Amino acid sequence: MSEIIQKLRTTQNLSDEELKLILTTDSYDEELTQNADAVRREHYGTDVYLRGLIEFTNYCKNDCLYCGIRKSNQNLSRYRLTEQDILECCKEGYALGFRTFVLQGGEDMYYTDERICNIISEIHKNYPDCAITLSIGEKSYDSYLAYFKAGAERYLLRHETANTEHYSKLHPAKMSCEHRKKCLFNLKKIGYQVGAGMMVSSPFQTLDNIIEDLRFLQELQPQMIGIGPFLSHQDTPFKNKPNGELKPVLKLLGILRLMFPKVLLPATTALGTLHPLGRELGLKTGANVIMPNLSPICVRKKYMLYDNKICTGDESAQCRQCTEQRAKSIGYQVVMSRGDAKDFEKR
Ligand code: 5AD
Ligand code: FES
């Protein structure tokens, strides 16, 4: 084995220069993949955890330059699911075997803390054996605390990029990298299992930015890291920016698995959109989570974060089946447990 991959695997760290070398040299790829898979098997065997994703609102007060549901996009019909709708999704998901529900949406002020807490409490009451994950953006410490007390245990908030200057090129001036990071530390402090992550090959991203992302993740120590390629959306200012490529995402998945041996790493929908076998390749390079869509069919095409998003025409049962098949085809198997992070100490 080459010294550098060996070093990354045994020390879970490298210098900036060494990381850049792996990121820019293709001859390490095969070894990186093999070692990432070996480490994933040490901790998680061949298990793939599933999360049922419920995209409950595409209203958003933010205007992120890359995102299809940004406030300024007028070409989008907006929707909100009622508490009843959401509980229906959970019912269907539960019957399909899901034991984690991810409530994801834009930053939609209609859903006050009270409404969110009610939704969480209802799900918690009806499905006490399930984990509830929120992915609803930047909120105050007190809001996060209220959701936690209502029964949400996990929170996904990608940092998108850890570099302030880069962050400001992807987001309007109202949003800040500092606040994003502060939110992530608040979530950890409260006791959530936290998911962070970045877009790979987003416009203006440099190699140094990626190193900064890795350093930030080392500082935060999240339980989950979600990464996927940037994909352009026709109704955003970044419509003419090139899509990310497969290689850098796979390289980063491999590096993340070796740096964070026990972290949960999803093979993301964006990766599956970029390449027909993107998620399978992700799983083979250290990823161990897939998040099939549980949203009602009638709203799926409206939750278009980027063009050509997959799974927008498929029933929940189809996505569930499809995911199982895909995992099986490469020698892994989906497991329907809650799939908590291995290093997470419950308080
Ligand atoms: N391309 C790729 N990923 C995107 N996301 C949003 N817009 C895009 C895009 N155009 C990702 C962001 C966000 C997550 C929900 O989806 O990283 O955190
Ligand atoms: Fe949705 Fe394959 S996971 S159709």
Side-chain angles (χ1 to χ4, degrees):
M1 200 194 311
S2 66
E3 222 171 287
I4 189 168
I5 301 288
Q6 176 94 55
K7 184 173 168 195
L8 175 57
R9 181 165 170 181
T10 51
T11 67
Q12 284 124 52
N13 204 4
L14 287 177
S15 69
D16 291 359
E17 293 318 310
E18 289 167 325
L19 286 168
K20 286 185 198 173
L21 192 65
I22 296 183
L23 286 166
T24 51
T25 314
D26 287 351
S27 55
Y28 296 120
D29 290 357
E30 210 175 299
E31 261 188 305
L32 183 63
T33 307
Q34 278 169 8
N35 281 276
D37 189 51
V39 168
R40 163 248 171 62
R41 282 171 195 257
E42 268 172 32
H43 300 291
Y44 291 100
T46 50
D47 292 353
V48 176
Y49 297 137
L50 295 195
R51 317 301 198 199
L53 182 65
I54 303 169
E55 300 154 332
F56 70 96
T57 172
N58 70 350
Y59 281 85
C60 193
K61 70 176 170 64
N62 291 333
D63 223 9
C64 307
L65 278 78
Y66 46 85
C67 185
I69 66 168
R70 68 201 299 270
K71 182 176 73 184
S72 299
N73 183 5
Q74 308 277 335
N75 293 335
L76 179 65
S77 105
R78 304 278 172 173
Y79 72 90
R80 288 184 176 114
L81 299 188
T82 63
E83 184 175 308
Q84 214 46 48
D85 296 332
I86 296 171
L87 287 166
E88 272 303 308
C89 293
C90 294
K91 189 175 171 189
E92 188 178 359
Y94 193 87
L96 290 170
F98 288 99
R99 294 298 177 266
T100 294
F101 300 119
V102 182
L103 300 182
Q104 187 176 86
E107 291 194 18
D108 180 357
M109 303 319 280
Y110 168 83
Y111 295 94
T112 55
D113 287 353
E114 194 187 338
R115 285 191 170 120
I116 292 290
C117 287
N118 280 335
I119 294 168
I120 298 167
S121 311
E122 276 305 303
I123 299 176
H124 198 53
K125 196 171 78 194
N126 287 297
Y127 306 99
D129 53 335
C130 293
I132 302 169
T133 305
L134 292 178
S135 178
I136 55 174
E138 297 181 21
K139 307 278 176 180
S140 69
Y141 184 93
D142 290 342
S143 297
Y144 286 151
L145 186 62
Y147 310 152
F148 189 76
K149 286 184 175 157
E153 293 175 68
R154 305 178 182 155
Y155 206 103
L156 307 181
L157 180 68
R158 290 198 185 165
H159 64 282
E160 314 297 357
T161 172
N163 178 273
T164 310
E165 204 181 311
H166 185 218
Y167 193 95
S168 70
K169 292 180 183 169
L170 304 181
H171 301 93
K174 261 192 228 158
M175 294 174 73
S176 84
C177 193
E178 282 61 43
H179 191 256
R180 191 76 156 194
K181 290 177 178 172
K182 180 79 195 156
C183 285
L184 282 162
F185 285 109
N186 283 344
L187 288 161
K188 279 215 83 174
K189 193 165 157 196
I190 291 168
Y192 282 96
Q193 297 183 43
V194 170
M198 58 279 190
M199 271 182 298
V200 183
S201 314
S202 57
F204 317 112
Q205 187 179 55
T206 65
L207 204 52
D208 283 311
N209 293 157
I210 293 176
I211 303 299
E212 255 186 88
D213 286 325
L214 295 173
R215 298 302 175 209
F216 171 69
L217 291 167
Q218 284 179 318
E219 186 191 343
L220 180 69
Q221 290 293 326
Q223 280 72 37
M224 187 189 251
I225 302 174
I227 65 163
F230 162 78
L231 299 171
S232 70
H233 186 293
Q234 58 189 354
D235 299 313
T236 66
F238 288 167
K239 63 179 172 207
N240 294 322
K241 301 287 183 195
N243 285 345
E245 284 166 23
L246 196 59
K247 189 63 101 28
V249 180
L250 296 176
K251 267 189 195 282
L252 273 166
L253 283 173
I255 290 173
L256 288 168
R257 174 54 68 210
L258 297 182
M259 269 190 154
F260 305 91
K262 294 183 182 174
V263 82
L264 294 162
L265 268 187
T268 54
T269 305
L271 189 56
T273 299
L274 182 65
H275 186 281
L277 295 176
R279 285 169 296 176
E280 286 86 332
L281 291 165
L283 291 177
K284 285 188 188 177
T285 317
N288 65 336
V289 173
I290 294 188
M291 300 171 59
N293 204 317
L294 274 185
S295 309
I297 281 281
C298 56
V299 304
R300 289 207 191 174
K301 286 202 180 353
K302 299 179 185 170
Y303 203 82
M304 281 287 177
L305 305 179
Y306 41 80
D307 292 336
N308 307 311
K309 186 171 160 227
I310 53 169
C311 300
T312 56
D314 305 274
E315 296 284 351
S316 300
Q318 272 173 284
C319 282
R320 167 72 182 78
Q321 272 303 109
C322 170
T323 312
E324 178 150 356
Q325 277 307 315
R326 284 172 187 270
K328 223 188 228 167
S329 74
I330 50 167
Y332 302 108
Q333 79 276 340
V334 304
V335 291
M336 299 313 290
S337 63
R338 281 170 43 114
D340 289 289
K342 294 270 187 208
D343 64 347
F344 190 74
E345 304 275 330
K346 259 202 159 177
R347 297 186 183 188

